Every structure is written in structure tokens, then in C-alpha cells.
Amino acid sequence: MYQVYPRSFADGNGDGTGDIAGIRSRIPYLASLGIDAIWINPWYRSPLADGGYDVADYREIEARYGTIDGAAALISEANEAGIKVIVDVVPNHTSREHPWFVEALAAEPGSAARNRYHFQPGKGADGAEPPTDWTSVFGGPSWSRLPDGDWYLHLFDSSQPDLNWENPEVRAEFLSILEFWLERGVDGFRVDVAHGLVKDMTWPDMESETDELLTANSQENHPFWDRDGIHPIVREWRALVDRYEDRMMVAEAWVPSLERLALYLRPDEYHQSFSFDFVGTDWDPSEFRRIITESTTKTATIGSTTTWVLNNHDVVRHPTRYGLPNGTNWRAWLLDGPHDILDAELGARRALAANLMLLALPGSAYLYQGDELGLPEAWDLPIEVLDDPVWERSNHTRKGRDGCRVPIPWTSDGPSLGFGDGEPWLPQPPEWAEISVEAQEADPNSPLAMHRKALAIRAEELVVSETLTWVDSAPEVIAFNRGTIECWMNMGTTAVDLPADAAIVVASDSGQATSGASLKPNTAVWLRR
Ligand code: NOJ
């Protein structure tokens, strides 16, 4: 699965913002990668206060991205090229510009219009205190007050009011939205904040800060993350999706344990739920081994598989994460530094190795646009260009997620490196010219070539079985067998011997010999024995 962030993939009309026309023009490229499907981040009508996760109309396309006809054409052209298309659904909250919220603002406290959201009176003598002490994921309080005294809940930005999923009208509306897109031929849905829909409506205080960005902490009976009431809702969606042939749903559920994650993967719920374990893990072989072992074993016991993720539009890109000393808080490092601790070359090598390893694992793998180029975080974006609401809501203490959302470099020159004719909505680091698609197309040893080779072998040979068998190796080496292929990744600091009888079929390091060699630190190979 390849994640397309529409705002930053390709700009077809030259306004500096990526769009549907841009994606359509790049379908041949997507097909050339050998991926099975794309996931498109929200493309609905939106003020783009949170990159489109603030939806004003779930049945319309944002004008900056294109039209509903363009979306339909994209779906059919991608399908014709052998690529399935899944779209994002954002059920936890709408935009403040959604007609329901506009109506709620105009209505009285206690009205039916307000009951589609979470409006509550405040605490304290004059109601001046928010109903609970919950903090927003983006920073600051998760309640905002209206002039009439009512407060409304927003787990994210104040422009993203949370919907009330106890209200049958909300449930019916989302079934209808899913149906609308199923009828338009989408192959499935990525469900945003799947672990957040249901709130404890006795409105208890938490007396502690929300964990950083989206993560459910391990508190039992958490007032807004991962509540059991979510699952009956999912079952309703699944019953609808099952009425259509060959469609799927993947959950974005940041939950504290595999046991909790497994609940989302029950046969009548999601087909996939992201495993975010690698995202939160340093370059540490014992942690990698633990994650792979636990996740593959646990998901197998429930008849499911793991959905692996190293990167997405919410996290610092992994060539940068892996170039920082273990233990660095990379979200804070973006702003606070010190920036000279970054070893970009080391991070690039490790990230490529990790991708090769990821593509050998059983289960599904999600790549984020630019992963195939080894694109690092644009960590030094000037403050003036920041767009992520996290920057303002955190009182300028967190730089936010713009650095992983910088437009793709398609060519090695031109004002936006081939992204489009206009000035890109975020500036691209000039050195990205050297790692553009164009530069890599000309190089058989590029990261792009490695991904194509690995994806082709994966499709031919690996997906036939979900079995992983560990191969005896030094503790700093991750080595496992997947039938015809053995994957070896050296996470240590010295070279290790590879089996003498092995032929190397793909390598993350272009200098790697094709057989009987040793494996350098921070590199990975696929072998045939
Ligand atoms: C998760 C999305 O991935 C993120 O980008 C967004 O800000 C939040 N959900 C809120 O919708």
C-alpha cells in the first residue's frame, strides 16, 4: 500500500498545491513501483486547517484538489493500471465549516443540532471552567467556549469539533457517506482516529496530560481513547462494506497493547489496523526482534496479519529519525535540536535497510510517498511557512508535521523540482534535486530501483505465505526466512558474515557484492540459498 498525501504529491494546475490531476498524471509512475493500492489522505471539501482532516463536506472534493468527476476518473484509471484506491474517512470530528456545526452554532444550548456534537455547560459558578480537564492532542485545552456559555469538545484543533457517536443521526450519516464512496468505486477506507469516537459522557477529569500526539496511554477505561463502545459501530460499517465485493477497511488506532489492537481485527471488524510499534522505536535490534515476534505471533492467533508502518504524514521521516542518537525525542528535536547531532547519511542507510526488511515481513506494508526515494524530513523548514495547527496550539513549543509533508521532488531542476508550475505550498530543500525521481530513474542502484525490485519479488514470491522463520544470527542481526527469500539486516556496528552459499538478490547498499560477502552495518539484503 502506498500513501498519497494529495496536497504534496503532484500539482496538476500550477497553484502550488498538489491535486487530483497531479495524481492522475503520475499513475504510470505508481504502477511502475509495483504497489497494489494507494491510500489517499482526505480530499474532501475542507478549509485545510488540519491538512484536510477537517472536513466540511464528505461528499464533495476540495476545490483546490479537483472535482468529484476527477476523483471518479482517478479511481477508474488507477484500477485500470492495476492499482486499488482507498480513501480516508474522518468520523471523529468535522470541520467547523461543516453545515452541521454551522447549524449547531446558530441553535440553542440543548438543541438537537447541538446534540450531534459534544456541547456541555462549563464548570464553576458561572460555567467559566471547561467541562473536563482534557488536553487536545495538538496542545491546549480540548474545549472551546461559545458566547452563549456552552463549551464544545475538540480532541484536535478548535476548528475540528468532535461528533457525538451516541447520536443515531451521526451513525446513519456515516453509513451513508461510506455507501456514497463505495458506490463511486473506492476499494476501501482508512479510518481516522478509529480509537477515539466514543467518549465517557459522564465527563470525568483525567488529572493528567494527554499523551503526545494520538497515542492512547495505558490508562484503563480512558475517557476518550479506545473505549469498548467503538466496536459495535465498526461492526455496522463492516456489514455495509461486506455487501460490496473485495473492499476493505484499515484502522488508525493508537492503542497501548497488541491485545487491544486485536479487538479491532476481529473477523467482523477491520481488515487491517496499523501497527505503529516501529514508528516509536529506536534503531535497536532487540526491540525490532521483539516487535516482529510478538506482532506476528499474536496476529496469527486471531487469524489476522500485521499491517506494518515505518512512516506516514504524522511522524518525522525515518531517514531522519534513524540519523539521531537513540533516545532522542525527534518531535522535540525538530525545534529544539541540537541539530548537529543528526547523521543524515547514517539515517539514510538505515532507513533503506529498514524498508527492505519491512517489505520482507509477512502481512501488509504501507509506504509513505517519498519513502521509495529515501526522502528525509525537511527538518529545517522556516517557522514562517509552518502550516500544521500543532505549531500554534502548542504555543510554539512543537514545530509539527510539515517537515514530512513537503512536496515530492520529481525532477532535478526547475523551480519546484517538477512538483508543478507554481511555487510549492511548502519549500523543498534544494538538495532534494539529487534524490528526485528523475535522478533515481537514471540510476540502477538507487533507492527507487531497490524498492521496485523488492516489490516485484514480494508480489511474485513472498505473499504466497505468511510464515516467518527466524534464522540463527548474531543478536544485532535481524535474519528471517520467507520461503524462497531470506532477509538479513545488520543493525550492529561491525560487518557480519553472510551464509557462503547465498546469492544476493536485492541489497539496500548499492556497493553490496552479489554473493558470498559480508553484510555491512546498517544495511539489509534479500538472499536466495
Ligand atoms: C490522524 C491524522 O493522521 C492526522 O494527520 C490528523 O491531524 C488527526 N488524525 C486528526 O484528524
Side-chain angles (χ1 to χ4, degrees), residues 5 39 41 50 53-54 88 90 93 138 156 160 190 192-193 214 252 254 312-314 388 401 405:
Y5 194 74
W39 148 34
N41 287 97
D50 179 23
Y53 284 96
D54 47 323
D88 231 299
V90 189
H93 44 265
F138 292 164
F156 296 88
Q160 295 167 293
R190 176 267 189 192
D192 187 58
V193 201
L214 288 171
E252 186 215 22
W254 298 77
N312 63 27
H313 63 292
D314 289 330
D388 186 348
R401 301 159 294 174
R405 300 172 177 179

Side-chain angles (χ1 to χ4, degrees), residues 47-68:
L48 302 187
D50 179 23
Y53 284 96
D54 47 323
V55 181
D57 186 342
Y58 292 85
R59 296 181 185 80
E60 256 306 338
I61 295 291
E62 164 55 26
R64 281 167 278 189
Y65 292 159
T67 62
I68 195 90

